[in-house]
Amino acid sequence: MTAPAPVHPVDEVPPVRQLAAFGLQHVLAMYAGAVAVPLIVGGAMKLSPADLAYLITADLLVCGIATLIQCVGFWRFGVRLPIMQGCTFAAVSPMVLIGTTGGGLPAIYGSVIVAGLAIVLLAPVFGRLLRFFPPLVTGTVILIIGVSLLPVAGNWAAGGAGSKDFGEPKNLGLALFVLLVVLGVQRFAPAFLSRIAVLIGITVGLAVAIPFGFTDFGGVGDADWVGISTPFHFGAPAFHASAVISMLVVALVTMTETTGDLIAVGELTGRGVEPRSLADGLRADGLSTVLGGVFNTFPYTAYAQNVGLVGMTRVRSRWVVAAAGGILVLLGLLPKLGAVVAAIPAPVLGGAGLVMFGTVAASGLRTLAQVDFKDNHNLTVVAVSVAVGMLPVGVPTVYEKFPDWFQTVMNSGISAGCLTAIVLNLLFNHLPARAGSVPEAGGLPAGGGEQGVEQSREEVV
């Protein structure tokens, strides 16, 4: 009798109670970001409260379906890694512009459908570009993902961007309390509880927030018990050339971001992403985006928020995230449940977010630790890429005088930093170096540093 082959941690199926707890933890980590896009776009278009509620429930439903496609997979769709899917923020500005001046929601959904089909067709091309993502590039991109998310956690901790009491000490105090609970559970609790430290922190933080008046459950009573999103609820899609072109630019940006997220999760889980699996993951993005256009929501991408949760909890099972997808489907079909989750105060999410997003940045540093920085230009590649990636994060209006297509690409710190890292790696480590360009040891970084850059991703892990 031969022993059965060991199951990879990505494919392990935890007990049901753990699936539910770990899955809910992932939902809470991404919920605020998931509902933000329909709120921003619908608010800019001055939709009625009923239409806004419809956009949110449709978004949650397709978020869940998209997550299931990505984690479980079928045929050549889905990377089959623990990846949460949600609406991309890269599409917000173009969609607001299309919705307010270029044809309303039907024009948005027409451009979204075309963009999704384009992603499906371009996925194999991006899959073949994986060789341009050595550890030097992937470590830099993962670092940028983590650092660019930290301001999101900071806004949550201060009370949520635009809130009347933004920055009040009570908000930051609640966020600090949740952070300490998460750290305490991780350090002192048994193994299982330490893996749901974020969920425990959010639960305890919510329990403390209620008596101190942080929560407002008024929306729960107003929400319907059951809500089903029907195709083309706001009318048949319209296909305007300018709207389609702007959304195709968004598609390229989201593909770049998703590539970075998939590689990051592959390294965290010990199952490196290969060209075929990368193409499968991007193809799932495209299919989900098409579904978004049909079911009254927006383009979808991998959510970097949950990359940090995978690294922090060390729970690598894709079935956990599939369970989170199932929870999102329920929230999309039962709006009253969604309203309960929406009532969690922003500072509670901020305290947990600081740990999760910091974990992503630390994972990038761990990958970069495997790269050779001696007598080459690798330090310059990292330095300039991080600087370009952080520029729109630190100065959000830096590109406001540039054309819309340029802003769509460069206003995302993740895509800007990723593109910079790829270009600089090609420039310094793939183009022929000039004679004598590599300095003596101890000199300034110079070119020709292929060593340590082209290590296989498996060796790095």
Side-chain angles (χ1 to χ4, degrees):
M1 295 290 291
T2 58
V7 177
H8 193 282
V10 168
D11 298 318
E12 287 181 350
V13 182
V16 173
R17 66 184 183 89
Q18 293 186 14
L19 274 177
F22 293 150
L24 180 59
Q25 188 169 237
H26 273 282
V27 170
L28 295 178
M30 60 83 68
Y31 188 90
V35 301
V37 174
L39 282 174
I40 294 170
V41 176
M45 295 178 64
K46 296 181 171 54
L47 297 181
S48 67
D51 285 343
L52 273 177
Y54 194 94
L55 283 182
I56 291 172
T57 54
D59 174 37
L60 293 173
L61 175 65
V62 181
C63 273
I65 295 171
T67 299
L68 289 168
I69 293 172
Q70 194 69 274
C71 296
V72 179
F74 68 93
W75 190 51
R76 298 297 304 278
F77 291 86
V79 72
R80 295 166 176 83
L81 286 173
I83 291 285
M84 288 291 289
Q85 297 285 108
C87 283
T88 174
F89 282 86
V92 169
S93 296
M95 288 193 301
V96 168
L97 190 64
I98 296 167
T100 54
T101 64
L105 286 172
I108 291 177
Y109 295 139
S111 62
V112 167
I113 290 171
V114 173
L117 293 173
I119 292 173
V120 172
L121 295 175
L122 290 173
V125 177
F126 259 72
R128 289 194 289 271
L129 296 179
L130 190 61
R131 63 191 181 92
F132 296 114
F133 286 84
L136 173 65
V137 174
T138 58
T140 302
V141 172
I142 296 168
L143 173 62
I144 292 171
I145 290 172
V147 177
S148 65
L149 285 172
L150 287 174
V152 176
N155 278 322
W156 288 346
S163 63
K164 295 179 180 178
D165 60 350
F166 186 85
E168 289 284 343
K170 64 176 185 178
N171 292 334
L172 294 169
L174 178 59
L176 176 61
F177 171 74
V178 172
L179 173 61
L180 293 176
V181 171
V182 172
L183 294 177
V185 171
Q186 269 206 303
R187 175 63 181 85
F188 300 108
F192 168 69
L193 292 179
S194 69
R195 291 177 177 174
I196 55 171
V198 170
L199 177 60
I200 293 174
I202 291 175
T203 304
V204 173
L206 180 60
V208 171
I210 291 173
F212 285 95
F214 282 92
T215 54
D216 179 11
F217 289 100
V220 178
D222 298 333
D224 295 328
W225 280 105
V226 178
I228 299 176
S229 180
T230 55
F232 307 124
H233 174 79
F234 295 99
F239 301 95
H240 297 174
S242 58
V244 168
I245 291 171
S246 64
M247 204 56 65
L248 288 175
V249 175
V250 170
L252 293 174
V253 173
T254 57
M255 291 178 80
T256 304
E257 291 183 349
T258 298
T259 298
D261 291 333
L262 296 185
I263 291 172
V265 170
E267 294 191 356
L268 288 171
T269 58
R271 176 176 282 178
V273 174
E274 301 298 333
R276 174 170 174 148
S277 56
L278 174 59
D280 292 348
L282 293 172
R283 202 176 281 112
D285 260 16
L287 175 60
S288 302
T289 298
V290 172
L291 291 176
V294 172
F295 286 96
N296 319 294
T297 179
F298 308 116
Y300 284 85
T301 187
Y303 255 32
Q305 290 93 316
N306 297 84
V307 174
L309 192 55
V310 172
M312 193 188 98
T313 62
R314 299 183 299 280
V315 177
R316 296 180 279 177
S317 171
R318 61 190 173 105
W319 298 105
V320 164
V321 180
I327 294 172
L328 284 171
V329 170
L330 280 178
L331 293 177
L333 295 174
L334 304 173
K336 201 171 283 290
L337 282 180
V340 172
V341 176
I344 297 174
V348 172
L349 297 174
L354 288 171
V355 186
M356 294 188 299
F357 304 160
T359 301
V360 179
S363 299
L365 293 176
R366 182 178 62 185
T367 301
L368 288 173
Q370 310 297 323
V371 176
D372 179 16
F373 287 100
K374 185 177 180 182
D375 298 338
N376 54 48
H377 277 305
N378 291 343
L379 192 62
T380 301
V381 173
V382 176
V384 176
S385 301
V386 172
V388 172
M390 291 300 99
L391 195 57
V393 176
V395 190
T397 58
V398 66
Y399 298 123
E400 66 177 8
K401 304 296 184 184
F402 284 74
D404 290 339
W405 67 267
F406 186 89
Q407 292 186 50
T408 301
V409 177
M410 299 303 291
N411 271 342
S412 166
I414 297 172
S415 64
C418 183
L419 291 172
T420 304
I422 293 171
V423 171
L424 291 182
N425 179 54
L426 290 174
L427 175 65
F428 287 120
N429 293 321
H430 289 267
L431 294 181
R434 290 181 290 107
S437 64
V438 180
E440 296 293 331
L444 291 174
E450 286 271 4
Q451 183 183 2
V453 180
E454 297 296 343
Q455 282 178 276
S456 71
R457 203 160 282 104
E458 291 77 8
E459 288 179 28
V460 172
V461 175

